């Protein structure tokens, strides 16, 4: 018992130090992201514009959704940037326009999720830089394997993200708060445009890529792991 009593102050200091470091990390991230200039980490329940109070489990669910969506859209923008870096200067004007169009839509999606991060006072994932770098590497690597492999990458990513957004919309449908209507509409818009990208990838020969099934399942599975991590970390 004396040993436990002696350790308690040390444990308390360790927890306090971790919390302070975590807040500094979040503040640093916010300082370098223009969309998050108003972001403040709070231990208390987060409320959108002070107008909506939710049970803890519902707040936790919304936090996870917005956190992972921001990371996912960050990765998506980077994927298309990586693909454009390899394929954008090959003289295929139609392909270049397609990649630019999909990237521009992903940029809008990211802006939407950045705004929701602020509106709902959600803690961004600390894996955000990993999402950006990993997305670029995935996009560039798939493009180096050829146009059809790049399209397979898009097909796999958008398949998994479409499923992910559908799952979120089903869960949000159970919450009848009008203050969440904007969030639901945003996710539905992103979902619909991601599925358009999926259709475009198939139209441009994604399923004719070498080892299509293997590429597809590896990328889709990797997306699933990334979603699980970014929701929680």
């Amino acid at each position: 018992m004396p040993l436990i009593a002696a350790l308690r102050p040390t444990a308390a200091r360790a927890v306090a130090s971790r919390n302070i470091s975590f807040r500094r990390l979040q503040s640093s991230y916010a300082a370098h992201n223009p969309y998050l200039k108003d972001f403040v980490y709070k231990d208390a329940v987060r409320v959108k514009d002070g107008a909506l109070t939710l049970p803890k489990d519902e707040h936790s669910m919304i936090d996870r959704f917005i956190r992972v969506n921001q990371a996912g859209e960050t990765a998506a923008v980077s994927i298309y940037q990586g693909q454009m870096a390899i394929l954008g200067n090959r003289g295929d004007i139609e392909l270049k326009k397609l990649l630019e169009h999909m990237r521009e839509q992903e940029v809008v999606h990211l802006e939407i999720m950045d705004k929701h991060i602020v509106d709902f006072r959600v803690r961004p994932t600390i894996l955000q830089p990993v999402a950006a770098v990993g997305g670029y590497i995935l996009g560039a690597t798939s493009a180096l394997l050829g146009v059809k492999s790049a399209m397979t990458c898009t097909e796999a990513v958008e398949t998994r993200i479409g499923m992910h957004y559908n799952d979120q919309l089903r869960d949000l449908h159970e919450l009848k708060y009008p203050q969440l209507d904007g969030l639901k509409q945003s996710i539905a818009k992103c979902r619909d445009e991601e599925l358009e990208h999926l259709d475009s990838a198939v139209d441009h020969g994604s399923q004719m890529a070498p080892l299509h099934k293997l590429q597809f399942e590896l990328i889709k599975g990797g997306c699933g792991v990334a979603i699980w991590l970014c929701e929680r970390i």
Side-chain angles (χ1 to χ4, degrees):
M1 293 300 292
L3 177 60
I4 294 175
L7 289 175
R8 279 176 181 162
T10 302
R13 286 194 297 272
V15 171
S17 175
R18 180 184 182 278
N19 288 340
I20 291 171
S21 298
F22 184 74
R23 291 174 189 175
R24 285 175 179 168
L25 176 63
Q26 297 302 325
S27 298
S28 175
Y29 179 75
H32 291 86
N33 189 325
Y35 295 101
L36 303 183
K37 61 182 184 302
D38 298 323
F39 172 81
V40 178
Y41 181 79
K42 295 188 176 182
D43 295 319
V45 174
R46 289 165 291 283
V47 179
K48 179 184 178 182
D49 300 329
L52 176 63
T53 300
L54 295 175
K56 186 176 179 179
D57 60 334
E58 293 179 358
H59 262 293
S60 178
M61 180 180 75
I62 291 172
D63 279 4
R64 292 197 315 273
F65 286 0
I66 297 174
R67 179 180 304 116
V68 70
N69 291 352
Q70 185 196 39
E73 296 301 347
T74 296
V77 171
S78 295
I79 286 171
Y80 289 117
Q81 288 175 335
Q83 291 182 346
M84 288 177 63
I86 305 299
L87 300 174
N89 297 314
R90 292 193 173 183
D92 189 332
I93 297 176
E94 180 185 354
L95 176 63
K96 183 177 181 179
K97 286 183 178 179
L98 175 65
L99 294 175
E100 287 177 343
H101 171 68
M102 292 192 290
R103 187 190 70 84
E104 288 168 1
Q105 286 188 317
E106 300 295 358
V107 168
V108 173
H109 297 176
L110 179 55
E111 290 172 348
I112 290 170
M113 294 307 164
D114 282 340
K115 184 176 186 301
H116 285 318
I117 283 278
V118 175
D119 287 345
F120 288 90
R121 299 182 182 179
V122 174
R123 171 184 64 79
T125 175
I126 63 174
L127 298 178
Q128 191 82 344
V130 178
V133 174
Y136 189 92
I137 292 173
L138 175 60
T141 301
S142 66
L144 286 169
L145 295 175
V147 174
K148 290 182 174 59
S149 288
M151 292 297 118
T152 296
C153 174
T154 297
E155 179 193 7
V157 169
E158 304 297 23
T159 296
R160 186 63 186 87
I161 299 307
M163 295 166 55
H164 167 71
Y165 278 144
N166 273 334
D167 290 342
Q168 288 189 355
L169 288 169
R170 277 193 292 271
D171 288 337
L172 287 171
H173 181 71
E174 301 300 318
L175 305 183
K176 304 301 182 182
Y177 310 104
Q179 294 93 331
L180 297 179
D181 288 348
L183 176 62
K184 296 175 186 178
Q185 292 167 6
S186 294
I187 292 175
K189 168 185 169 62
C190 293
R191 185 270 318 273
D192 292 346
E193 292 180 355
E194 307 294 3
L195 294 180
E196 288 177 9
H197 299 173
L198 167 59
D199 290 341
S200 295
V202 173
D203 290 343
H204 284 77
S206 66
Q207 297 180 353
M208 293 185 288
L211 301 175
H212 168 264
K213 185 67 173 178
L214 177 61
Q215 291 189 61
F216 179 89
E217 293 299 338
L218 284 174
I219 295 171
K220 181 169 168 281
C223 288
V225 172
I227 288 170
W228 188 91
L229 290 172
C230 290
E231 283 182 335
R232 292 162 174 81
I233 299 178

